Amino acid sequence: MKKFLAVLLTVVMLLGMMSVYASAIELYMYQSFTYDDTYTLGDVNGDGDVNAMDSYYLKTAIAGVCEIEIDMNAADFDASGDCAAPDSYSLKTCLAGFKTTKDYEPNQLHRLQIGGIDIQNFSVAVPADSTKDDNTYFAASNMMKYVRNITGYEMPIVFGEYDTSNAIIFNSVPLDSELGQELGIDGYKYDITDGNLNIYGTYRGNGYAVFDILEEYMGIRFYRGNETFVYKQRLVDIPEGTAVTKIPDINFRHARQSFGEYRSDNTESHKDMPSGMWCHYFANKLNASEGGYACYEAFYGTKIGPLYSNAHSFVEYWQMGTGVWPPESGRPEGMSEYIYTSAEYQYKYDSGTPYGAHLGKGVYDWQPCATDEEVFNTLFEGMIDCNRMVMSWGRPTFIAEGQTLFSFSISDNQYYCGCRNCTKIKRNEGYSGLYLQLYNKATEKAQDYYPGVRLYGIVYAKDYPQTIKPHKNFVILYCGIGCDNHIIGKEECYPSGGQLTDASTGKGMSNALDSEALPFWGNLCKETGAELWFWIYPVTYHYYLVGCPNVFNFYWNMKWLHEEANVTGFFYEGGGREYNFETLKEYAAVKYMWDMDMTYEEYCDVIKEYLYMNYGNGYEEIYRYLELQTEAGDECGTCFINNFDRPGDMYSYDYIAEHYDEMRGLLETALTKVNYDIQAERIETLIACCDFLGLASVHNDWYLDGNRVEDYKARFNWMHEYITSHDLQVFSSDLYSWPKSVDYETNIMKQVYDEGSRRIGVDPYPHD
C-alpha cells in the first residue's frame, strides 16, 4: 500500500501536462504527465512567499536556537536530507537575485539514491541473451525512461556485464526453478545488496517490480487511463538492505474502464505496440484479458484469460461448430499458408448457423441442452476450431504453464434447458451443477488436444451442486452480487430484496443466496484444485447522471469474497461514463486486487489520493461529497442492483433534498481550489450531476410550492446549459436523452428518465 502523503493538506499545486518521447516498447505511448508541487523550494515557513523571513527561519533552525517548524523539503536546497549552512547560502543567492529557486530544482525528483549511492553511478543490466520482447528488457526500459523523466539522468541499458560502479540488475528466473515456482508468473523479489538493486521475476515479475518501485519510492502514480501523476521530491534513497517479496493473492486481475485493453489497428505506428500499454494496463498490475487481445507480446508477460472468446462463448462455438469447410481448391498462388489457413477457418465460421437460430431464437433467449451428446460435440468442435483459428493468427499461447484459458461457457441469459434429462439432473444439482457437468466434460476432453489447458465458464444461478465437482483444470467464473447497497456476508439484505420488488415478476434482489452459495463453491474448488473467480459489477450501467453509490461497499465485498469464499480472480466490470466516480472505482479496485492485505483505512487513503490527483486541492470536500452520496444510497433502506434499478431505487430523495445545498456547496468550494482547467471541468460535471438529482428532489418544495423559485431557476438554467453544451450522455443507449428546452414545471427526473422506479412500493418520482 502506497501511503497517502500527509503533506497534501498544505500543498500548493503547480500542474502541467506534457507529452513525452514515444516508443513501441515503453509506457510513454500517448502518455500525459501531471507534475505536482507539494512544496515551494525556499518557502521555508510555508507562507506562500520566498522572502527574508524564510532566511531567518532557516538560519534559526540550523542554529537550533529554538524549536521552530520549517518545511524540510523547501529548505533542503542541496537535497542532502537535512538543513545546513550550504542551504542557507543557496537561499541567500536567490533572495539577492543571483539565482532563482528553479536553478536548484531542474527535475521533479532532485536526487535519487539507491543504497546511499547517487543514480548517476548506475546502469541498468539485463541478461546477455535478452531481446526487446523479454519482460526483463521491458522492465529495464521502463525503469530507465521513468528515472530519466523525473531526474533528468538516463541510465544506460547493458546486456550482461556492466561497467558502471553500480547497477539495477534484472534477473530472468526460469519458471521451473525453485525460485520460479515460489514467484509464479506474477511474483517478484528485489533487494539492495552492496549498492546494487537486484530484481528477480519469471514472466511479469520484473515489470511489476519496476512499477511498484516507481510508486513506492519515486512518487509516480498511474492513476487514470493514460494519465500519470508525479509528486515533487528533493531526496529519495532506497536504503541498503531493502528486501521485498511480492506474490499476489489474486491470479486473475482485470478491469474494464480506463485501464482497458488497446486493440492494435495494425498501422505502422501501432503494429509493434503491446495492447493496453498506453492505458497503464501493465503498470497497474492487471494481467488478464477478455478476449485474448491483451498481452500478446512476450515481454508484456504471459496471458491469463481466454484465448479468443470472452465469456458466453457458446455463441462463437455453435456458429463455428455448425459451419462447413470451403471447397478444396488449393491454396492460391502467392497466398501464404498462414493467411490461407486463417481464411479457411473464417469461411467455416461464417457459414455456420447463427447462435440459437436453429431453434428460432436469438442470442439472449437460448442455452444449449446440457445432456445432448450431439450438442456437446458441436460446441466442443467449435471451441477447438475457434482456438486453432486464433493460433493461425500467430497469437502466442502458454498452455504448458496453465496460463491460457479457453472459454467454454453459457450465454448471457438464464433460459436453461428444460428437457427431461436436464431437468432430472437439475433437481439434485441445480442449474449450476447441470452446466458444470458439461464444462467438466469439455475440460477433460480438451486435455487430449492441449495437455494442461484450463477451461472456464460462467455461473449465473445462485444454486450449487450436491455431487458434481469442478474439474481441477476448470475455473468457475461466478457472476455478480444480488445487491449493491449492502455488503455480502453481513446479513444486511432483505431475504427477497425487501419492498424493492420487480412489479412485473414479483422477484427481489439480495445477497442472501450469494452469501450461501459462494463459500460452497470456494470449498469445492479447494477440494479439487479448481479456481473460483468472480465477475464484480460496480459500474454505473445506465443512469449516467446519477451514478451507483457503491464506492466504499465493494472493498468489503472483495475482502469477503477472497477471505470467505476463496476467490482468486476478479473481473471488474467498468465502462460507464466517468461523471460519478467511475474511474475512481476502477483505480481503487485494481489497487486492492494487487494488495489484498490493504486495510479499509488504507483503501480510503487510496480514494483520497485519487481525488487529489483527479480534482485538485479540494479533494477533502469531494471526499465528503462522496460520503454524503453514499449515505443517500444507504438511506433508501432497501436492496438495489445497478444494472436493474432506477435512480429512485438507489437514492433516498428525502436525504438528497435535505443535503442538496451542503453537497453542492462542497463541490463549489472544491472548484475554487483547482489550478488546472481539466480539474475544473471534472468538478463542474459533478456539480451538473449533483444538480440533476438535487433539483429533482426539491422540485416540489423549491419550485411548485414557491419556497426557492429563483434559486431553482438559476441552478436549473446552469445545469441545462452545461449538460447541453458538453453533450453529456444521460443513458447507455438512445432510449433517453437530454431535453432540448428548459421546462421548470415538470420534474427533471420525469423529463429525462420516464421511469424513476419500477419497484413495488417506491414512488417513481421525487415527491410527485
Side-chain angles (χ1 to χ4, degrees):
M1 169 63 188
K2 316 307 183 295
K3 62 183 179 183
F4 182 61
L5 304 182
V7 73
L8 293 184
L9 296 174
T10 56
V11 295
V12 178
M13 278 181 40
L14 179 62
L15 298 170
M17 299 188 74
M18 60 181 289
S19 296
V20 295
Y21 175 79
S23 166
I25 58 169
E26 55 182 274
L27 284 174
Y28 278 25
M29 183 71 76
Y30 309 124
Q31 191 172 353
S32 59
F33 286 77
T34 295
Y35 297 100
D36 178 59
D37 255 345
T38 56
Y39 59 88
T40 298
L41 188 63
D43 183 16
V44 177
N45 63 0
D47 65 358
D49 293 316
V50 180
N51 52 36
M53 287 301 297
D54 295 298
S55 180
Y56 169 76
Y57 270 70
L58 180 55
K59 286 189 290 186
T60 303
I62 293 172
V65 175
C66 61
E67 290 188 7
I68 186 170
E69 285 192 15
I70 65 171
D71 187 330
M72 286 294 297
N73 277 317
D76 191 8
F77 275 77
D78 61 2
S80 63
D82 58 16
C83 297
D87 299 304
S88 179
Y89 173 78
S90 297
L91 177 56
K92 289 178 181 178
T93 64
C94 294
L95 295 174
F98 294 111
K99 288 189 176 183
T100 69
T101 57
K102 290 300 179 185
D103 293 323
Y104 294 95
E105 51 176 357
N107 303 297
Q108 195 72 354
L109 172 55
H110 188 69
R111 189 177 186 187
L112 173 62
Q113 295 181 329
I114 298 175
I117 302 168
D118 285 339
I119 196 65
Q120 286 79 6
N121 296 294
F122 281 78
S123 59
V124 180
V126 298
D129 58 353
S130 288
T131 70
K132 74 166 189 175
D133 293 331
D134 293 335
N135 187 261
T136 48
Y137 187 81
F138 169 78
S141 173
N142 281 287
M143 176 66 86
M144 180 267 287
K145 299 301 181 184
Y146 282 106
V147 168
R148 180 189 66 187
N149 179 282
I150 61 176
T151 70
Y153 174 67
E154 183 169 321
M155 297 178 289
I157 296 180
V158 298
F159 293 81
E161 297 296 324
Y162 57 92
D163 55 10
T164 51
S165 301
N166 304 87
I168 301 174
I169 304 169
F170 290 91
N171 299 273
S172 181
V173 179
L175 188 61
D176 59 0
S177 67
E178 182 177 351
L179 179 57
Q181 289 296 297
E182 176 189 353
L183 298 178
I185 297 293
D186 292 341
Y188 63 76
K189 284 189 174 185
Y190 67 82
D191 64 73
I192 298 177
T193 305
D194 298 330
N196 290 330
L197 171 55
N198 306 287
I199 302 177
Y200 304 87
T202 60
Y203 284 103
R204 298 192 190 92
N206 284 284
Y208 290 159
V210 165
F211 291 111
D212 268 0
I213 291 169
L214 292 173
E215 291 192 16
E216 180 69 32
Y217 298 102
M218 301 187 197
I220 299 178
R221 303 290 186 269
F222 307 95
Y223 79 102
R224 172 190 167 117
N226 62 337
E227 296 182 41
T228 305
F229 190 94
V230 186
Y231 286 105
K232 179 181 177 182
Q233 301 179 91
R234 294 302 288 167
L235 171 65
V236 168
D237 182 17
I238 312 176
E240 177 77 15
T242 296
V244 174
T245 299
K246 174 66 178 180
I247 302 170
D249 294 317
I250 302 302
N251 298 329
F252 180 96
R253 304 178 301 278
H254 182 78
R256 183 202 290 168
Q257 184 70 41
S258 66
F259 299 141
E261 305 158 56
Y262 179 86
R263 267 72 163 176
S264 174
D265 58 11
N266 294 319
T267 63
E268 187 64 27
S269 62
H270 296 161
K271 67 178 183 179
D272 294 325
M273 185 176 68
S275 57
M277 207 169 228
W278 67 284
C279 52
H280 297 340
Y281 193 88
F282 195 95
N284 281 286
K285 277 75 76 177
L286 297 169
N287 68 353
S289 164
E290 290 184 50
Y293 292 97
C295 323
Y296 67 84
E297 293 285 356
F299 62 73
Y300 198 67
T302 63
K303 171 173 51 189
I304 294 182
L307 178 63
Y308 169 58
S309 175
N310 185 13
H312 321 309
S313 52
F314 288 164
V315 58
E316 286 92 2
Y317 298 164
W318 185 265
Q319 186 149 342
M320 178 68 88
T322 56
V324 296
W325 293 107
E328 293 185 10
S329 56
R331 176 156 48 101
E333 185 176 352
M335 178 182 285
S336 69
E337 181 178 359
Y338 156 71
I339 296 176
Y340 181 62
T341 302
S342 297
E344 286 185 305
Y345 281 111
Q346 195 64 55
Y347 182 96
K348 183 174 188 283
Y349 182 86
D350 291 341
S351 65
T353 305
Y355 187 62
H358 66 299
L359 297 176
K361 297 184 178 182
V363 172
Y364 297 107
D365 54 5
W366 176 79
Q367 294 289 7
C369 177
T371 57
D372 188 307
E373 189 71 18
E374 185 176 347
V375 169
F376 170 78
N377 290 336
T378 298
L379 292 170
F380 187 84
E381 177 186 326
M383 178 187 73
I384 296 299
D385 283 343
C386 278
N387 292 322
R388 285 170 173 167
M389 177 175 66
V390 172
M391 293 176 188
S392 75
W393 297 344
R395 287 188 189 161
T397 60
F398 296 86
I399 295 171
E401 292 92 14
Q403 297 307 304
T404 296
L405 278 77
F406 295 168
S407 172
F408 192 80
S409 184
I410 61 174
S411 59
D412 193 9
N413 67 69
Q414 297 191 57
Y415 294 102
Y416 306 117
C417 181
C419 76
R420 183 173 183 177
N421 289 334
C422 287
T423 301
K424 183 177 179 180
I425 295 176
K426 178 260 177 185
R427 287 196 193 102
N428 294 321
E429 308 295 342
Y431 285 119
S432 297
L434 170 65
Y435 283 91
L436 178 59
Q437 59 88 27
L438 187 70
Y439 295 160
N440 284 342
K441 186 176 180 179
T443 305
E444 183 63 35
K445 190 172 181 179
Q447 307 308 310
D448 296 335
Y449 294 79
Y450 307 106
V453 72
R454 294 195 296 170
L455 271 58
Y456 82 102
I458 292 291
V459 168
Y460 275 139
K462 308 300 183 179
D463 53 24
Y464 45 85
Q466 296 301 310
T467 63
I468 299 173
K469 300 177 182 180
H471 190 284
K472 66 177 182 180
N473 284 10
F474 190 73
V475 174
I476 302 290
L477 186 49
Y478 191 104
C479 288
I481 293 174
C483 173
D484 285 293
N485 194 37
H486 299 120
I487 299 167
I488 190 170
K490 299 296 183 182
E491 298 183 354
E492 296 174 335
C493 283
Y494 297 88
S496 62
Q499 81 264 30
L500 290 184
T501 303
D502 183 357
S504 63
T505 66
K507 293 182 179 179
M509 301 297 294
S510 79
N511 291 333
L513 295 178
D514 298 295
S515 298
E516 179 183 351
L518 280 159
F520 192 95
W521 280 112
N523 288 331
L524 276 185
C525 289
K526 272 185 181 179
E527 182 180 340
T528 67
E531 285 195 72
L532 175 62
W533 294 350
F534 193 88
W535 197 317
I536 193 167
Y537 300 96
V539 61
T540 294
Y541 277 96
H542 304 304
Y543 299 89
Y544 296 147
L545 296 182
V546 179
C548 183
N550 59 350
V551 175
F552 297 101
N553 274 10
F554 63 84
Y555 167 86
W556 299 108
N557 287 335
M558 293 172 71
K559 181 180 179 67
W560 185 90
L561 288 165
H562 177 58
E563 295 181 357
E564 303 298 327
N566 192 37
V567 168
T568 56
F570 283 109
F571 186 123
Y572 174 95
E573 172 117 1
R577 301 289 76 78
E578 60 193 56
Y579 311 152
N580 285 281
F581 307 112
E582 295 303 304
T583 53
L584 162 64
K585 294 178 190 178
E586 175 197 41
Y587 182 78
V590 299
K591 289 298 179 191
Y592 191 37
M593 287 181 203
W594 183 247
D595 183 11
M596 295 301 292
D597 292 329
M598 186 185 296
T599 66
Y600 181 67
E601 290 72 22
E602 290 170 329
Y603 177 80
C604 291
D605 284 344
V606 169
I607 291 175
K608 289 181 180 179
E609 184 176 37
Y610 179 91
L611 295 177
Y612 172 66
M613 295 184 291
N614 202 55
Y615 299 106
N617 289 333
Y619 71 95
E620 288 282 11
E621 285 82 2
I622 297 179
Y623 185 81
R624 178 56 186 154
Y625 173 85
L626 186 61
E627 289 182 316
L628 290 172
Q629 190 184 67
T630 303
E631 290 170 13
D634 294 340
E635 286 298 314
C636 79
T638 54
C639 302
F640 60 72
I641 184 170
N642 58 358
N643 67 345
F644 176 89
D645 289 303
R646 273 54 173 160
D649 305 326
M650 295 190 288
Y651 288 94
S652 164
Y653 291 139
D654 288 336
Y655 186 95
I656 292 292
E658 181 182 351
H659 294 84
Y660 173 35
D661 278 333
E662 178 186 359
M663 294 173 74
R664 197 181 202 274
L666 289 166
L667 297 179
E668 289 172 340
T669 300
L671 187 60
T672 67
K673 297 183 179 183
V674 303
N675 293 84
Y676 186 41
D677 288 344
I678 189 61
Q679 292 179 334
E681 182 176 338
R682 290 168 182 165
I683 294 175
E684 286 174 341
T685 300
L686 284 178
I687 293 174
C689 294
C690 176
D691 280 343
F692 175 79
L693 191 53
L695 292 172
S697 299
V698 300
H699 179 247
N700 280 17
D701 181 30
W702 286 24
Y703 184 76
L704 295 182
D705 293 344
N707 291 321
R708 293 177 61 178
V709 172
E710 294 307 314
D711 287 343
Y712 185 90
K713 286 184 176 181
R715 292 188 185 180
F716 195 107
N717 290 341
W718 181 88
M719 171 192 66
H720 191 277
E721 192 282 329
Y722 185 88
I723 293 177
T724 301
S725 62
H726 287 75
D727 195 24
L728 299 189
Q729 185 179 354
V730 303
F731 197 72
S732 56
S733 69
D734 58 3
L735 179 62
Y736 302 118
S737 60
W738 186 247
K740 294 182 179 180
S741 59
V742 171
D743 175 6
Y744 304 128
E745 300 296 328
T746 306
N747 192 306
I748 188 61
M749 182 70 70
K750 187 174 292 187
Q751 293 182 54
V752 178
Y753 303 131
D754 64 11
E755 287 184 307
S757 172
R758 61 178 177 186
R759 299 282 201 168
I760 294 173
V762 176
D763 186 355
Y765 302 108
H767 308 293
D768 278 4

